Structure formats: C-alpha cells, structure tokens
Amino acid sequence: MLVSGAGGFIGRWAVPSLVDRGYQVHALVGRTLQGRGAPPMLAGAHTHWLDLFDAAAVSALIEAVHPSHLLHFAWVATPGVYWRSPDNYRWLSASERLLRDFHAAGGVRAVMAGTVAEYDWTQVGVCEEEGSPLADSAGAAATPYQQCKLSLQRAVARCTAESGMSSAWGRLFFQYGPHEHPERLVASVISRLLTGRPAPCTHGRQIRSFLYVADVGAAFAALLDSPVLGPVNIGSDTAIRIADLLDEVACQIGRPDLLQLGARDAPDSEPPLLLPKTERLRLEVAWQPRFDLRSGIAATIAWWREHLTC
C-alpha cells in the first residue's frame, strides 16, 4: 500500500498503525524533508523521497509498486497560508492524478484526508457527514482550501461510483501532538509556557474537540482497513472549551500565570461551537481512541520539552 505525506504531522503516525495491521507500506516523503532523514515512525516501511508534483516519477513508482491501497495526506498545511494559497489548486491537480494512476494500476481502496473546513461553519455547530451543509452549498463563500478539498472529495466519490473502487474520505477535525507546527494553538502555547513567555490567547469560550495525533493516525489506518464508504468525521466526541484545554496545558506545565485568556480578539469567522458527530467512526469503523486529553497533553508537553532543550 501507498501512504503520501508520510513524513507529515499525521502521516508519520498512520504508518506504524498500518504496519501493525500487516500492510506492506510504501511511505512517500516530500523531497523537502530528505535532508532530515526518515522519521523514526517509518521503520518497517519502504521510504520513497518523492515530489508529488513530478507526474512522471509518481506514475513510475505506482507502476513499480502496484499498491492495492492508498492513504493520501499530502497537501499544503502551513498556518496562515493554506486557507487562500494558490498551491491548493496544484495539490488538487496532483491528488486527482495520483488517484487516476492508482486506479489504473489496479488499486482497490483509497482513503484521502479531508477537513472540517468543508462544512459551512455559518450553518452548523455539530457536523454530520451526510446531513450538514457544506462550505460551497447554497452560494456560501468558500476559500481555495475549502473549494479544492471539496472538489477532491467529489472526484473520489465519482471514481467510486464509476469504477466500483472502494473509497472513504476522512474529514479531519482538530488535533494536537508531537511534531505539530509551532504556530498552531496547542504547540504555540506549550512552547511559550515551557520557555517562560506569556501566551496571549482569545477568550477561549469556543467549544471544540481535540484528538491526539497518534490517535488520528490510527483512526485513518482503521478507516482504510475497513469496508466503510464515503465521508467519515475523524475527531473526538469529547467537547471542551478552548480555555479549559489551555488551562490543562498550563497546569501540567506549572505556569498558569503565563496564560493570558482574552488578550487577543477572536476572529469573526470562528463559530462558538464546532464539533463532529462521530457515530460512523465509532460504530461503523469500530474505532476508539487510546489517549484521553490529560494523557495526550502530557505526551505532547514531554515531546516539546525535549525538543526545546535540544
């Protein structure tokens, strides 16, 4: 099987779960990461340093490997950039080409990573895969990121309908953990508190759910290994105020005095409530997380403590 974006925040955690499930994994890692070496989590997988925009190289690899399964994560994800970056359109084109090559080589099941941003946040608070309005429905405005993810999900669905190839689409909600981009919420607060700096935040009354990244990777592996079709929310069914999440971080580090709730204005686009319905993940995929919030935060702090002192 083939995993794209295997060196990324989530992909590196999906690979060991797939290896444990008995898959022979070919892990695709972007060439920009080549000088850093393969992540330790990729032990047991065949690692390929590959630019997914190099159509000829991708086609050659798929022809050589003939993967039966595909798990696709690779996409632009830089905070502050990915929402409106024109690179979204390049990733859409590359992803559609990857899907076509995979199917032409005899692939039987594909799972690709979607996003909570596919939902229309002005219309929903609790998001259901088949019932909630999407970001481009009824004339709703959509950013390049939303447009391209929705377009890819529909391309995957068409491929399934036209060819009979099995596929699913993991709509990813909020996550945290080791290797997260340092400008993301949990990572930025942890790094600031560990280095004795104030962490200015919004009021934190927004209600979300957060899933530890090792569980995210395991959930995608379970989805790939299942017969479940169509969109499936990948997230936690435990709702929490962002303020309470950050209080847990601050208390575990021992620096609640540095947490500055209300020091920043919350963006107008942020809904007060944004949660996934997780029945498909829990009941149809039959998957449950291993980490609760306390243990996931502890593991994340431990990783950042080691990382920041290197």
Side-chain angles (χ1 to χ4, degrees):
M1 74 154 302
L2 211 59
V3 179
S4 77
F9 178 46
I10 298 170
R12 68 178 65 211
W13 295 99
V15 168
S17 291
L18 291 165
V19 171
D20 288 346
R21 288 173 178 269
Y23 285 94
Q24 183 183 65
V25 178
H26 290 265
L28 306 188
V29 181
R31 288 194 183 279
T32 56
L33 300 177
Q34 188 166 6
R36 307 179 200 177
M41 296 87 154
L42 302 190
H46 303 278
T47 302
H48 305 269
W49 306 98
L50 190 67
D51 180 356
L52 280 182
F53 297 134
D54 186 339
V58 172
S59 296
L61 177 63
I62 291 177
E63 182 63 28
V65 171
H66 278 280
S68 60
H69 290 65
L70 169 66
L71 182 54
H72 178 50
F73 291 111
W75 201 274
V76 56
T78 307
V81 172
Y82 70 92
W83 275 100
R84 301 191 179 278
S85 172
D87 282 345
N88 282 289
Y89 299 102
R90 295 184 68 208
W91 279 110
L92 172 60
S93 177
S95 301
E96 291 176 330
R97 185 173 58 243
L98 175 65
L99 181 65
R100 290 193 299 269
D101 288 349
F102 170 72
H103 176 252
V108 298
R109 180 162 173 81
V111 171
M112 295 193 169
T115 168
V116 59
E118 293 169 48
Y119 292 110
D120 181 357
W121 292 2
T122 67
Q123 300 295 317
V124 296
V126 179
C127 303
E128 186 174 7
E129 294 94 339
E130 298 297 340
S132 296
L134 300 177
D136 62 351
S137 63
T143 67
Y145 177 65
Q146 294 168 305
Q147 292 170 350
C148 291
K149 283 292 188 176
L150 285 164
S151 293
L152 182 58
Q153 190 270 319
R154 288 161 182 158
V156 173
R158 284 195 304 271
C159 185
T160 296
E162 294 168 1
S163 70
M165 184 188 75
S166 175
S167 71
W169 180 262
R171 283 203 179 120
L172 181 61
F173 276 67
F174 303 100
Q175 69 281 167
Y176 67 96
H179 303 280
E180 187 174 20
H181 194 288
E183 293 180 16
R184 307 257 322 169
L185 175 64
V186 174
S188 67
V189 170
I190 288 176
S191 63
R192 282 182 169 275
L193 299 189
L194 285 176
T195 53
R197 294 176 293 156
C201 306
T202 70
H203 52 69
R205 294 190 295 271
Q206 309 95 322
I207 297 175
R208 302 288 187 266
S209 70
F210 287 81
L211 192 61
Y212 183 63
V213 67
D215 281 334
V216 176
F220 271 99
L223 179 58
L224 185 78
D225 200 30
S226 78
V228 174
L229 303 176
V232 176
N233 289 335
I234 305 293
S236 169
D237 57 5
T238 301
I240 186 171
R241 293 192 320 150
I242 287 180
D244 295 331
L245 167 74
L246 299 181
D247 279 341
E248 178 68 28
V249 169
C251 288
Q252 287 201 28
I253 292 175
R255 294 305 308 265
D257 56 305
L258 294 177
L259 186 62
Q260 298 179 342
L261 294 172
R264 290 181 173 173
D265 293 332
D268 293 337
S269 59
E270 277 206 3
L273 175 70
L274 193 58
L275 300 171
K277 275 191 172 266
T278 59
E279 281 82 354
R280 296 207 76 198
L281 181 62
R282 289 189 292 105
L283 302 179
E284 297 181 41
V285 181
W287 180 85
Q288 295 284 350
R290 291 179 52 238
F291 290 83
D292 60 15
L293 186 69
R294 184 179 297 274
S295 60
I297 290 294
T300 305
I301 291 171
W303 184 88
W304 276 104
R305 197 183 298 275
E306 180 180 354
H307 175 80
L308 289 171
T309 56
C310 287

